[in-house]
Amino acid sequence: MNFEDPDMDTGRLTRRIRQNQSRRNQGESQMAVSIRDLHKRYGDTEVLKGIDMEVKPGEVISIIGPSGAGKSTLLRCINALETPTSGTINVYGIDISDPKTNIDKLREHVGMVFQHFNLFPNMSVADNIMLAPHMLHKTPKEDARQQALDLLETVGLQEKADARPTDLSGGQQQRVAIARALAMHPDIMLFDEATSALDPEMVGDVLEVIRSLAEGGMTMILVTHEMAFAREVSSRVIFTDAGIIEEEGTPEQIFGHPQSPRLQSFLSKVL
Amino acid sequence: MIAKHVRQGWTSGPGRWAMGLLALVLGLSALIVAPLATPAQAAQDSPAAQAVHGRTFRVATDTTFAPFEFRDSSGDLVGIDMDLIRKIADIEGFSVQIQSLGFNAALQALNSQQADVVIAGMTITDQRKQVYDFTDPYFDSGVQMAIAKDNDQIHSYKDLRGSVVAVKTGSEGEAFAKQRAPQYGFSVKAVDQSSTMYEMVKSGNAQAVIDDYPVLAYGIAQGNGLKTVTKKEPGASYGAAVRKGENKEFVAAFNEGLAKMKADGSYKKLVDSYVGNSNSDKKTSASRPGFFELVRQAFPSLMLGLRNTLAITAISFVIALAIGIILGLWRISPNRILSWIARIYVAVFRGTPVLVWAFFFYLGVPQLIGHRISIWLAGALTLSLNSGAYLVEIVRGAIDSVDVGQMEGARSLGLTRRMALRRVILPQAVRIAMPSIINQLVIMLKDSSLLLAIGFGELLYQAQQIYAANFRVTETLFMVGVIYFVAISALTWMANMLDRRLHQ
């Protein structure tokens, strides 16, 4: 659990995490994310009622299900934005509920994209992307800016580097948010309804960026309402309802041959 | 001119601090150190004079107790006490270093050996004789009644039935009035300042005033619009005080000098120049100056007051802002102890009046710690701790109003809570809080006038000093109102400019 070394590059860290992990816990050494019996309760309401789930490196997982099923809560537990009531979550073998784990260090390797982008309005687009690499990896300003420009190019927004986030459209802001998360070279990306707040004509550009990430082999978990996209891009689809995983399988199984009545009913409404 | 001064004080960036410090130093020196009297060239050769020859005594006195001590239109400390002790020092060949502190502070200074003598229109009482040694009485006081100049109805105490009589809180006049009130059927209203009593009589809120005869006589000589119809009541005598058993040479020399002045008539002349009925003397020949002459006379001390007001506000505001930000962060901290400290601080200072703290820091704390607290420190503590409490809530509110997604966005990148606060949350919170912070600054500038209660030389205090001496209350207050208004408008305008620049 060597999360204290600030100069460590991502790949090396990941390898080290995996090595440490494999020495201690052979069985789960290949898992990017491993969740056991996860419960989350808000007061009297139990939102997650025992989730077990595993994600292998390079997998693209889509989590679908009706509103209030606990999809976002599940995703937010994975980078500790929510604290589970009980159960364990391992990310590359690191138990994130262990108080000794440096959560901040872990989050550098878990990129997150939010429904409402959460860009920082007090800085330019480039500064949004540069902030974390500069502060956490001590990347020199010039290098961080060059990286920001490169990332903006890959999401098609190089000319917006010095704009304020508030001057961009929703779709543009979300692409900046993805670039910002990618700037930390994460090992896994979490997308929390990344296109839900966008005007329909903006959705395509954002999905295009996510698709190219998937093709590049990025491990990803998407909470989404875009069923066609989920079917196209996912290696596996998880259907949650009322705080449990009701059904999971390949896109073909989930969308082509749904088994449980709840999934059938859900799909009949959204497709 | 006023606007120019304010702008110089506030716009010149780094120079602002220098200005503040300068004002602080000026204020302190003007407040405390009055000019040294030069020793006489030819002292008499009496044993008493020889014992004090060439020595310097530190003399503490009140700030304003006209006609015994007050500042004339050029800002010099004058009055019966001041003229008398300087004259006696001259005759006997010693020097005096006069400290104008306020009556209670003067006694404290004497007790703590920071002064050798107190001369401040101090009544000789048996109680005080147990603690101090007094010189021979140099003035026979006593109380007297005065009424409005145009009042033809009141000729004696008997005519007071059903009237309101104004007196000064804790004075001999109050004791006298309360004692006679049942007999003559009037009611007594006690206030804090002589000038307030006179204004009450002139405005009809009271029909008569009973006050120390010299104070009253001086006011009437200055044209305060009152007249006397009854004789003065015999009363107490004033003396200069030293610590019991010490500075006997001073007492002897003072008594000798006083006796000489009484013998050669210079004593009577000195006293008459302040409280005499004759209008011939130049100090009392008050042909009422016009408004602009009044402005000209008042201007230097009002500007000094403005400088002190701006300086104490600037100093206190910087401290308050630091308190506001630090305790504001404590307030929202996950650390319960820090959070509760901030909560309790806010509750205490929002739940208590500013004045209580002013008195507490200036009068209470020195007795707890056994050490005098400078009036600047007491004033700055009072204002900054009070405003700090409001700023804590302003900062907290502003941080709360930053979208929670901002913190999540920053934390999801791996930034620590502290980094996220500093780089993402606080910059946005400051923008949100700016109008409230500016508002708090304005409130603070206005609240600084409360410090007059402990004798801090700010704007309104200077105004009181002026009308305590010239009795032109309405015009002086008008000037002060205009100065406050201009200063606050200029300050608000500049703060808004700054705010707008910040928002670009």
Side-chain angles (χ1 to χ4, degrees), chain A residues 25-41:
Chain A
N25 198 344
Q26 289 292 339
E28 294 181 359
S29 64
Q30 295 308 307
M31 291 304 154
V33 177
S34 166
I35 298 174
R36 292 272 169 273
D37 197 28
L38 176 66
H39 290 257
K40 176 66 185 179
R41 178 188 286 281

Side-chain angles (χ1 to χ4, degrees), chain B residues 2-209:
Chain B
I2 295 167
K4 187 173 159 222
H5 173 86
V6 174
R7 289 175 61 118
Q8 281 173 348
W10 286 92
T11 49
S12 56
R16 199 163 68 187
W17 270 107
M19 266 297 289
L21 273 177
L22 184 70
L24 191 149
V25 172
L26 280 177
L28 275 178
S29 47
L31 209 65
I32 291 173
V33 184
L36 290 174
T38 46
Q41 46 285 72
Q44 307 284 329
D45 283 322
S46 74
Q50 274 172 5
V52 294
H53 185 77
R55 286 179 60 181
T56 298
F57 292 96
R58 293 166 301 169
V59 177
T61 188
D62 202 346
T63 45
T64 295
F65 183 46
F68 292 93
E69 40 268 334
F70 59 98
R71 289 181 193 281
D72 65 12
S73 53
S74 50
D76 295 330
L77 207 55
V78 296
I80 293 175
D81 285 347
M82 298 299 100
D83 290 6
L84 189 67
I85 197 153
R86 286 185 185 125
K87 192 78 207 292
I88 292 176
D90 226 25
I91 294 169
E92 298 291 314
F94 61 87
S95 302
V96 287
Q97 186 192 344
I98 292 170
Q99 308 174 341
S100 168
L101 302 175
F103 187 74
N104 286 321
L107 287 183
Q108 270 188 31
L110 182 63
N111 296 345
S112 59
Q113 319 232 356
Q114 291 183 42
D116 306 310
V117 181
V118 166
I119 182 164
M122 186 174 173
T123 304
I124 303 170
T125 65
D126 289 340
Q127 216 174 0
R128 285 178 177 158
K129 274 185 185 165
Q130 292 170 9
V131 190
Y132 308 109
D133 285 338
F134 281 93
T135 61
D136 292 342
Y138 63 83
F139 192 90
D140 291 322
S141 186
V143 300
Q144 193 170 12
M145 179 175 80
I147 56 174
K149 214 188 236 169
D150 54 5
N151 186 328
D152 300 329
Q153 266 111 61
I154 298 173
H155 304 285
S156 69
Y157 299 133
K158 283 188 194 113
D159 302 324
L160 287 174
R161 185 160 298 280
S163 308
V164 175
V165 173
V167 297
K168 189 150 55 169
T169 311
S171 70
E172 259 188 275
E174 183 183 24
F176 177 82
K178 283 194 168 156
Q179 189 200 333
R180 301 298 167 92
Q183 186 186 341
Y184 294 110
F186 58 84
S187 58
V188 178
K189 175 84 185 155
V191 296
D192 268 344
Q193 291 212 337
S194 292
S195 46
T196 313
M197 301 192 295
Y198 305 157
E199 292 308 305
M200 282 173 71
V201 172
K202 278 155 71 182
S203 64
N205 291 320
Q207 282 67 48
V209 49

Side-chain angles (χ1 to χ4, degrees), chain B residues 353-376:
Chain B
V354 179
L355 264 182
V356 172
W357 290 103
F359 288 130
F360 177 74
F361 286 126
Y362 192 57
L363 304 174
V365 172
Q367 295 178 28
L368 289 177
I369 63 175
H371 192 275
R372 206 171 94 88
I373 284 192
S374 103
I375 197 155
W376 280 86

Side-chain angles (χ1 to χ4, degrees), chain A residues 75-175:
Chain A
L75 198 68
R76 289 161 59 85
C77 281
I78 296 173
N79 72 348
L81 284 179
E82 303 288 346
T83 311
T85 307
S86 67
T88 59
I89 301 175
N90 281 268
V91 177
Y92 285 104
I94 305 301
D95 180 357
I96 68 170
S97 56
D98 184 340
K100 278 179 290 192
T101 302
N102 183 338
I103 293 296
D104 294 322
K105 210 66 201 168
L106 179 93
R107 283 182 179 140
E108 294 179 26
H109 304 281
V110 182
M112 177 114 181
V113 175
F114 298 87
Q115 183 178 357
H116 294 288
F117 334 128
N118 298 354
L119 294 178
F120 311 135
N122 56 317
M123 40 185 112
S124 71
V125 163
D127 286 340
N128 262 272
I129 301 172
M130 292 159 62
L131 180 67
H134 179 64
M135 291 199 79
L136 298 169
H137 292 167
K138 309 290 176 211
T139 311
K141 276 253 160 87
E142 308 81 64
D143 297 357
R145 181 166 172 92
Q146 190 51 53
Q147 182 196 290
L149 294 178
D150 292 346
L151 283 165
L152 282 173
E153 196 176 0
T154 66
V155 299
L157 288 171
Q158 195 175 16
E159 76 284 3
K160 298 292 186 186
D162 296 311
R164 290 271 159 176
T166 42
D167 295 333
L168 304 185
S169 73
Q172 290 172 329
Q173 289 192 50
Q174 193 60 298
R175 283 184 279 156

Side-chain angles (χ1 to χ4, degrees), chain B residues 10 309-310 312-314 316-317 320 349-350 352-355 379 382-391 393-394 433-451 458 460 484-485 487-489 491-492 495:
Chain B
W10 286 92
T309 291
L310 293 179
I312 195 85
T313 305
S316 308
F317 186 65
F349 279 90
R350 286 212 303 194
T352 45
V354 179
L355 264 182
T382 304
L383 291 182
S384 58
L385 286 171
N386 176 265
S387 265
Y390 291 91
L391 284 169
E393 286 301 294
I394 289 170
M434 209 56 185
S436 308
I437 292 175
I438 293 170
N439 192 36
Q440 190 59 41
L441 174 60
V442 169
I443 290 172
M444 193 176 205
L445 196 146
K446 289 190 278 192
D447 278 358
S448 70
S449 64
L450 290 169
L451 295 180
E458 51 74 53
L460 188 54
Y484 270 120
F485 180 76
I488 288 170
S489 302
L491 191 62
T492 312

